[in-house]
Amino acid sequence: MHIGNREIGDGQPTYIIAEMSANHAGEIDRAKEIIHAAKEAGADCIKIQTYTPDTITIDCDMPYFHISEGTWNGENLYQLYKKAFTPWEWQKELKDEADKTGIDFFSSPFDNTAVDFLESIDVDFYKVASFELVDIPLIEYIASTGKPIIISTGMATLAEIDEAVRAARGQKNEDIALLRCASAYPAITGQMNLKTMQNMKETFGVPVGLSDHSMGSVGAVTAVALGASIIEKHFCINRSIKTPDSSFSMNAKEFEQMVKDIRQAEMAMGCVKYGPTEQEKSNIQFRRSIFCVSDIKKGEKITENNIRIIRPGYGLEPKYYK
């Protein structure tokens, strides 16, 4: 998969996305501050969401439209999205700010009008949110732009993921990545099932990653060790600024540490290599070898009493002992 000049996949550095979501708390200056903070924390990309309350749901007070558990318990969907959405009139300005800052910028559109809008501001690639994975007409419309698509797979069965991938490929779009995701806020580490991510890679032949809603960075670092090419994490300036997403978002300091841990994990994985490393070469001399450990007279037999296998390694190799 390619995003601009960046290749995403095996052998490449993990692509790390900071999800702003609602953490701007309704202030464009804070949104810009988040962009700069994400860049400083080591993110490769800042992500937003493109919807309005009216493009994602309807203003209805029936029980179907109420959340009865979890982080948003008691919220009405329309009112929640009214608090959380990023005004469309900001988004070109935010993209320009990201361009100036030197960080990639993209969005999750939630209907066709959002795709059209994002096309008008020249967004280079798209995200399909987990809850929209079953919206096959939307995926087809996004794919028809010909631009790369990152698809989150929270809650999805294998058959549903297959339908979504086929929908994108049906539009002759092969630039696809799939993210393992636990669509809980926050997610429980024990229910992330990251091995599923590896199976998605084998099944669909695309780069994979993790959209991580768990607390801390264990899930993200583990995912990288298991082959993730993309990590997405919710990002905020400070969790004391209360928003619909703040309780499960990383602050800048935590995000920066996660990025460092991921880069360390990448270095630790390295490549397949046998034999001493450069760092080990000076220690070869301290291996074991065969030494005479007492004086041996001319004609005297060499026995286990006068030779031993000991450190250091300047004598014959131990394999010649017998």
Side-chain angles (χ1 to χ4, degrees), residues 180-201:
R180 177 65 182 164
C181 178
S183 293
Y185 307 90
I188 300 170
T189 303
Q191 294 186 18
M192 294 173 75
N193 296 314
L194 293 177
K195 288 185 177 180
T196 310
M197 180 189 73
Q198 293 177 306
N199 185 258
M200 289 194 303
K201 181 177 181 179

Side-chain angles (χ1 to χ4, degrees), residues 49-293:
Q49 299 181 10
T50 305
Y51 66 86
T52 70
D54 294 296
T55 65
I56 201 169
T57 189
I58 58 172
D59 189 2
C60 181
D61 205 37
M62 290 181 70
Y64 309 120
F65 294 85
H66 283 267
I67 301 169
S68 58
E69 58 184 23
T71 300
W72 303 303
N73 181 33
E75 290 275 9
N76 166 271
L77 287 180
Y78 189 90
Q79 297 304 320
L80 175 65
Y81 298 136
K82 193 173 181 179
K83 287 190 286 187
F85 87 111
T86 302
W88 292 22
E89 59 269 22
W90 294 3
Q91 295 190 19
K92 176 65 165 65
E93 193 172 342
L94 295 181
K95 182 179 183 298
D96 290 343
E97 191 71 24
D99 290 343
K100 285 190 293 184
T101 306
I103 188 170
D104 291 343
F105 176 96
F106 81 135
S107 182
S108 296
F110 289 81
D111 78 324
N112 289 7
T113 66
V115 178
D116 293 340
F117 170 76
L118 291 168
E119 283 292 286
S120 75
I121 64 171
D122 295 323
V123 168
D124 293 327
F125 58 114
Y126 290 99
K127 171 76 185 295
V128 175
S130 290
F131 291 82
E132 275 57 48
L133 176 132
V134 294
D135 190 345
I136 298 302
L138 175 60
I139 293 173
E140 289 174 335
Y141 196 69
I142 294 170
S144 70
T145 66
K147 294 178 179 177
I149 311 171
I150 299 171
I151 303 174
S152 275
T153 62
M155 305 169 289
T157 65
L158 181 60
E160 289 170 337
I161 298 170
D162 184 59
E163 288 173 349
V165 171
R166 285 176 183 272
R169 287 176 169 164
Q171 299 297 313
K172 304 192 184 313
N173 191 326
E174 294 286 342
D175 236 359
I176 303 164
L178 295 173
L179 303 188
R180 177 65 182 164
C181 178
S183 293
Y185 307 90
I188 300 170
T189 303
Q191 294 186 18
M192 294 173 75
N193 296 314
L194 293 177
K195 288 185 177 180
T196 310
M197 180 189 73
Q198 293 177 306
N199 185 258
M200 289 194 303
K201 181 177 181 179
E202 295 165 2
T203 303
F204 298 102
V206 300
V208 294
L210 174 67
S211 176
D212 185 14
H213 300 133
S214 67
M215 302 304 291
S217 59
V218 170
V221 176
T222 304
V224 170
L226 291 173
S229 296
I230 301 169
I231 295 293
E232 179 185 299
K233 195 84 170 174
H234 281 246
F235 182 94
C236 66
I237 298 296
N238 191 316
R239 279 190 294 275
S240 65
I241 303 168
K242 297 302 180 185
T243 74
D245 300 303
S246 58
S247 65
F248 57 89
S249 296
M250 272 188 162
N251 65 33
K253 185 177 180 180
E254 293 165 338
F255 196 96
E256 182 178 14
Q257 186 60 53
M258 179 191 72
V259 172
K260 289 177 180 177
D261 291 343
I262 287 171
R263 300 306 179 210
Q264 286 290 313
E266 290 170 337
M267 287 192 286
M269 287 187 292
C271 60
V272 177
K273 185 184 186 303
Y274 295 100
T277 65
E278 287 299 317
Q279 192 177 17
E280 291 173 321
K281 284 179 179 177
S282 63
N283 282 326
I284 290 177
Q285 62 185 308
F286 299 115
R287 282 176 157 184
R288 297 170 81 91
S289 67
I290 303 170
F291 266 77
C292 298
V293 293

